[in-house]
Amino acid sequence: MGIHASLLAEVRACTRCADLPLGPNPILQFHPEARILIAGQAPGRRVHQSGVPFDDASGRRLREWLGMHPEVFYDPRKVAILPMGFCYPGTGKSGDLPPRPECAAAWRARLLEGLPRLETTLVLGQYAQRYHFGAAAGSLTDLVRAWRDPWPRLVPLPHPSPRNTLWLRRHPWFEAEVLPALRAMLAEVLAR
Ligand code: SF4
């Protein structure tokens, strides 16, 4: 078994968070050849059940944003999918609970080291932003508005959840400016 396969097997067997409402079920996509990383939040209930990352409304919107066919999106040699928490964290009063902090602490650095060909990381939502940009990065909107600064190594994006439809309506420049540039950049990365 190669190093990446044994690391992946180790993650899949993880039971660190013993109190998860539906139990541990790590959902991620990882291969050392991946050139694009999608850094998300945590699986929802539906994804917990199917075991397929972004197999939900957020995923449909995300693939539309990226202009990416499911065949490419689900090819681990092209795209790695590492949410901040790999297991469904449960639901609170206002939607899904935050990703379990144990998860990034335990796994993220080792998995990121295992992606030597990475060219761009799409950073979805506030939890991934805090990790990939640091706590001092400012608000999600400010970060996304300044998308050109870390481009193309890091791409700050709002979370594609249906809960963010109002944000999208309020910030039409995101769909008009950021998404066309993002699609073009990803097509270049994938063509290399
Ligand atoms: S959320 Fe992460 S750390 Fe917690 S049990 Fe799942 S894989 Fe392990």
Side-chain angles (χ1 to χ4, degrees), residues 10-20 23-28 42-43 84-89 99-107:
E10 225 187 298
V11 177
R12 291 202 201 283
C14 179
T15 55
R16 264 182 184 71
C17 310
D19 57 338
L20 289 163
N25 179 22
I27 294 167
L28 62 156
M84 295 309 297
F86 299 143
C87 300
Y88 169 62
R100 293 294 294 246
E102 296 92 328
C103 203
W107 301 114

